[in-house]
Amino acid sequence: MCGIVGYIGHRKAAPLILGCLRAHEYRGYDSAGIATAHDGKITVKKGVGKIAEVDAKYDLEDMEGHAGIGHTRWATHGAPSRANAHPITDCTGRLAIVHNGVIENYAEIKKELARRGHKFKSETDTEVAAHLIEEYLKNGLEFEAAVGKAVARFRGNYGFAVLKAGEDKLVLARNGSPLVIGFGRNEVFAASDVPALLRHTREFAFMEDGDLAVIDAKGARFMHDGRPVRRRRMHVSWTADMAQKDCYPHFTIKEIEEQAASIPAALRVDVGRAAKLVRAAKRIHVLGCGTSYHAGLVFKHLLARAAGRECEVFVASEYGESAVMKPGTLVIAVSQSGETIDTMMAVRHARLHRAKVLAITNVVGSSLSRGADANVYINAGPEVGVVATKTFTSQVAVLTKLALAVAGRKVAVNGFAKKVKDVLALSGKMKEIAHALRNTDDFFFIGRSLSAPVAMEGALKLKEIAYVHAEAYSAGELKHGPLSLIAEGIPVIVIAPAAGETHHKLLGNIRECKARGGKIMALSDSSRLLDEGKWKVPMPPVSEELSPLLYTIPLQFLAYYSCLERGFDPDKPRNLAKSVTVE
Ligand code: M6R
């Protein structure tokens, strides 16, 4: 959802900013640009396309100056175009700004500024910020006071970095859209998230909503409601190498393969305190979006089955409208990034109703983790591919451990790491199947009980990176409507671990599909179920509790290879971004 980078220090800003933007590209990639300050002037270079395309056209490294800002965009207001690309400047050209988020009341401010003679060059909401700051500077305010006064007028979510000619500092503002500050030696960086800066530092401070920060080569000052505040510095354990592609062609396949280590690591995470919170709670609400929502659904099944406890799972963006809030509620907020605005808003709603919040996230220092009563980190390491792969299985691993811990049980992990490796060895088989299905445009995914959310996750992956229509159903639901769509040749992917109490019913559902011409792809450790498949994906035997961890992996391969078969880039699916910080 747009990546922001800022730099001020002893080195040339543009090449550094460019490197950080490349590491930030998963946040948006429809246009990019950099502005630097030098010799009392601002220079801006920007254009449409991925960063490499913009760089090839405009040579982004070739800019003078030791202070600058950069941006990679995921368009909200105004189509991807050179004019709408950031940095955006004011009328004087002496001020440049980059923005992540949405200024909801920009239209009224734009009218007011236009009446005062400001000339707008873009369709972005961001441009009102540039002109409003310009207006306050004209009225005699200092740089940071002008930024503070401008952002005080905005409704919505924003992260801003502002550069002004002739100033040895950058001013940053945050409300809802993340901004982190990284500290080097005689140089200070800013970015939308930690991985963008790992090449240069592992020392970070995290801005809070409502903060203004001023950075110069020596450090950072923070203000909140006009008063100075302290923001603790943290050392992060992630390294830059963890966020490299290494010898893999894409982050997506690297991260799928990394599950050999990330699943066992997540199964070692301590969930003791979290289990106590769950046991003590009168009621449990689980919140998440997309893949994280699916992890929540797996948890719901497990908690009911293992611990006899009920919980409700909400798509986070619907929580405020649909949850009945009662005292004693524990909210379990699941979010890989810990920055998803829908999840953050749902948590805010829960907090207003005095719910306790347990965050399950991957990113230490993320907004969600900082605002929670308790945290469990899934320890998956940085995930760069826009599709969630290893972080989904790590979420599920941690939530499985949690559900069993609530019941006073432990996960039986003996030999499980070997099974993960055996499933990863199915890569070639899934590649062949993806090739066979390269011209197919409709897929169905079905499963029962714990496998129903796995089916949903498989369908989401395929839609997200292969741009193929895919539906997921709890298998028993097919006959209540969607069965009418099963016609000759439609692939039906069946998640069928033999350990499930429901697999005999699943057999019935498979037959219903076959009778209508559906072509079955069976994922199972039962030869009886595999025999039903035109495509057979033999799985190692596994307890039903741990089956989602294994059965997700072939579906990730299927999506990855289907994406390649269709000629798309799996790391950067169209219209999407890794961290969704707009509602
Ligand atoms: O960072 P989060 O887990 O909160 O992200 C939630 C969703 O945006 C995310 O899972 C999305 O659905 C993935 N790109 C799916 O692969």
Side-chain angles (χ1 to χ4, degrees), residues 286-320:
V286 183
L287 315 174
C289 303
T291 286
S292 296
Y293 170 70
H294 297 158
L297 292 175
V298 175
F299 179 69
K300 176 188 169 80
H301 281 280
L302 282 167
L303 194 67
R305 301 266 290 276
R309 289 286 314 260
E310 247 174 9
C311 73
E312 275 188 90
V313 188
F314 295 85
V315 167
S317 54
E318 297 289 339
Y319 186 64

Side-chain angles (χ1 to χ4, degrees), residues 20-44:
C20 297
L21 284 178
R22 286 196 185 109
H24 232 1
E25 203 169 11
Y26 55 81
R27 296 186 64 92
Y29 30 83
D30 56 45
S31 51
I34 293 179
T36 56
H38 181 63
D39 242 357
K41 283 201 270 309
I42 299 268
T43 310
V44 178

Side-chain angles (χ1 to χ4, degrees), residues 13 70 183 187 296 442 550:
F183 300 93
E187 56 187 359
D442 297 290
L550 296 188

